[in-house]
Amino acid sequence: MKIKSGRILSCALLAVPGAGLTQAVDGAITLGYGHSSVSNGRPDMSSYSADGQGTVLFQNGFSLDLSGSLQHDNPRHGSNAGVLAGGAGLNYTFLSGPVVGAYLEYASMDSNGLVGRNVNATSYGVTGGYDNDLFQAMLFFGGTNATAIRGSTSDWTDYGVTVAYTPMQSTTLAGYWMRSDITAPRGNTTATSFGVGGDYAFFNGFSAFGGINRLNFDALNVDATSFGVGVGYDLSQIARLPAQLSLELARTIVDPIGPNTNVDTVRVGVTIPLGLRDGSAPLNSVAANAISPRHNPVSTFYDIIY
C-alpha cells in the first residue's frame, strides 16, 4: 500500500477505469522528531521523520492507497541510520463488502547494526478481504526481493492478515500477524511479526493512542519488541489550524545473542490531515505502525526501532 513515485502513480491512475471520477481523499502527513537513549554503550539517536498515508476513492469501486516514510537517524557518533520507504495498493471493493487488490512496496533500511545489516527490499503481492464501517479484515500473499548493501540477496515469501475494529468514529482497534519464509545462499530461515494498536479521540480535542509490535528474525537470532503510548491534541479546538500535536513515550527491546539492548524514545509530531482522516494516532507512532503495517515483517518493524 505504499509508493512515492509520480510516474508509478500516474500509470496506476491511467490504469483505473474512470479514474477521473474521484469521490474523496482520506489521509494525513506527520512531521516528527524523536530522541532515543540506547543502552550497552551504543550512541544516542536524534531522529527526524516525515510520514504520509492516504487513500484516493473513486466512484466506480476502485481505490488507491498511497504511503511513504522518510526517517533520518543521526547518532551522537558513528554512521547515520534511517528508513526510506514507499508503496501503493490498488483495490476494488464490491457492493457487499469484499475487497481484492494488489500492492507494491519498497524500503531501504539501516538500523546502525542494531537489527542486522542494511537492506533494500521490494515487496509485491495480492490482497483479499472484507471492509465495512465496523470491521475490516485483509489477507495478503506475496514476495520480497531483498538485497543487503554488501551484496548478498534473498527471496522472501510473505503472507499474513490485518484486522481492524471501529465501533465508533472516535475509536480504532487493530492488529496484524505476518510471516516471511526466506530463501538465502546460507540456508532457509523465517521472520515473523505481529502487533496490536489502538487510538481514542476524546470530545475535547485530546486523544490517546498506544501499540505494541514484536519481531522474531531467526536469521540473525534476534527477538525485538517495541511498545509505546502517547497523547495528542487537535489544534482546531483553539485555532483555525487543522493540525494535531502529539507526544509519545516508547521503548524498543532487542534481544540478540548476549545482553539485551534497550532503546528509550521520546517522539513528538505534527500531523496535518488531508481531507477526511480515519483514526487519531500520529503516523510516527508505534500505534500507527500496528494499525497500518507494511506487507513484510522486517520492513514493518524498522520504522519504530528509534
Side-chain angles (χ1 to χ4, degrees):
M1 301 180 183
K2 305 150 192 187
I3 241 171
K4 295 195 334 185
S5 167
R7 181 176 300 177
I8 293 177
L9 173 58
S10 299
C11 293
L13 288 173
L14 290 174
V16 180
L21 302 177
T22 304
Q23 184 174 6
V25 177
D26 304 337
I29 295 173
T30 297
L31 304 177
Y33 170 79
H35 179 78
S36 299
S37 299
V38 189
S39 66
N40 292 335
R42 289 182 173 270
D44 294 348
M45 285 278 188
S46 294
S47 302
Y48 306 88
S49 62
D51 299 277
Q53 202 171 86
T55 299
V56 182
L57 302 173
F58 303 102
Q59 295 180 358
N60 54 9
F62 283 94
S63 63
L64 183 65
D65 295 328
L66 297 169
S67 69
S69 179
L70 174 61
Q71 180 177 324
H72 177 75
D73 303 317
N74 185 20
R76 181 175 298 176
H77 56 81
S79 60
N80 294 331
V83 175
L84 173 63
L90 184 62
N91 305 297
Y92 182 79
T93 304
F94 296 89
L95 292 178
S96 56
V99 182
V100 294
Y103 65 88
L104 176 64
E105 299 172 350
Y106 171 80
S108 177
M109 303 165 284
D110 182 355
S111 68
N112 199 12
L114 191 59
V115 185
R117 298 178 178 179
N118 306 350
V119 177
N120 294 328
T122 301
S123 302
Y124 47 86
V126 295
T127 60
Y130 184 81
D131 187 352
N132 64 22
D133 292 337
L134 182 66
F135 178 76
Q136 303 86 43
M138 192 73 71
L139 299 169
F140 73 87
F141 181 84
T144 295
N145 296 327
T147 304
I149 300 299
R150 297 181 182 178
S152 61
T153 61
S154 56
D155 294 322
W156 306 38
T157 300
D158 306 321
Y159 49 94
V161 58
T162 60
V163 295
Y165 176 60
T166 51
M168 59 189 73
Q169 188 175 1
S170 61
T171 306
T172 301
L173 298 172
Y176 75 89
W177 177 91
M178 63 181 73
R179 178 184 173 99
S180 294
D181 298 326
I182 306 169
T183 302
R186 295 185 179 180
N188 299 338
T189 186
T190 62
T192 305
S193 180
F194 58 89
V196 177
D199 59 55
Y200 180 78
F202 298 95
F203 66 90
N204 56 1
F206 286 95
S207 59
F209 52 89
I212 183 170
N213 292 267
R214 173 80 173 172
L215 170 68
N216 300 313
F217 197 1
D218 290 344
L220 301 177
N221 293 314
V222 168
D223 293 330
T225 303
S226 185
F227 52 91
V229 294
V231 294
Y233 183 73
D234 184 1
L235 291 177
S236 66
Q237 296 287 320
I238 57 175
R240 300 182 62 180
L241 184 63
Q244 178 201 50
L245 298 180
S246 59
L247 170 68
E248 181 185 36
L249 304 179
R251 166 170 280 196
T252 298
I253 303 172
V254 181
D255 182 14
I257 298 175
N260 293 354
T261 298
N262 297 328
V263 182
D264 293 319
T265 302
V266 178
R267 296 188 184 98
V268 294
V270 178
T271 300
I272 302 170
L274 303 175
L276 300 175
R277 186 193 174 203
D278 295 328
S280 57
L283 300 183
N284 65 338
S285 65
V286 178
N289 187 266
I291 293 170
S292 300
R294 298 193 180 101
H295 295 90
N296 178 275
V298 176
S299 65
T300 293
F301 194 84
Y302 259 76
D303 276 343
I304 51 172
I305 294 176
Y306 299 110

